[in-house]
Amino acid sequence: MSKKCVKIIALELKLIYNKYQVSRNLSWQVIINERINELPINVVKLCRSMGIAVKLYNPKDNNSGMTVTVNGAPVILVAANEPRERQRFTIAHELGH
């Protein structure tokens, strides 16, 4: 592999790691701001404390969830037919957006 390719790969890895660091830091800031002190984190309760409603819905496709705005307020929609663990993951994923 050429030195140029190695430098490009190293730069791309650094950019990816920087994005990870930003996400990690924001996650910790939410945990601190919302005074979360127990695991596992109740993601529905967390959303509600942040003014985000969580609602079950029946998607017409294979979508597990999405975030929408209703009357100016954020709402996380999560597929009613998914297992509870998958719903929890989807809520956390949508909160990350």
Side-chain angles (χ1 to χ4, degrees):
M1 186 178 299
S2 72
K3 287 183 181 182
K4 184 177 181 180
C5 284
V6 170
K7 285 182 180 182
I8 291 170
I9 291 170
L11 180 61
E12 288 179 6
L13 288 174
K14 184 175 180 173
L15 291 172
I16 291 168
Y17 186 70
N18 287 344
K19 287 181 181 181
Y20 158 77
Q21 285 179 310
V22 169
S23 297
R24 180 201 59 204
N25 292 346
L26 288 171
S27 297
W28 275 109
Q29 198 59 54
V30 167
I31 289 169
I32 292 166
N33 290 350
E34 296 300 320
R35 294 183 171 94
I36 294 170
N37 56 12
E38 61 184 41
L39 296 175
I41 295 170
N42 182 329
V43 292
V44 173
K45 184 178 174 183
L46 173 61
C47 288
R48 288 184 181 144
S49 73
M50 297 175 69
I52 302 168
V54 177
K55 303 288 183 188
L56 295 175
Y57 82 119
N58 295 305
K60 295 185 171 133
D61 54 14
N62 290 331
N63 196 351
S64 294
M66 68 177 90
T67 302
V68 297
T69 303
V70 178
N71 298 325
V75 178
I76 294 176
L77 301 175
V78 62
N81 63 335
E82 295 283 357
R84 186 172 178 205
E85 295 81 9
R86 177 61 193 193
Q87 289 176 344
R88 184 174 184 275
F89 172 86
T90 300
I91 294 165
H93 172 85
E94 292 302 316
L95 184 58
H97 286 294

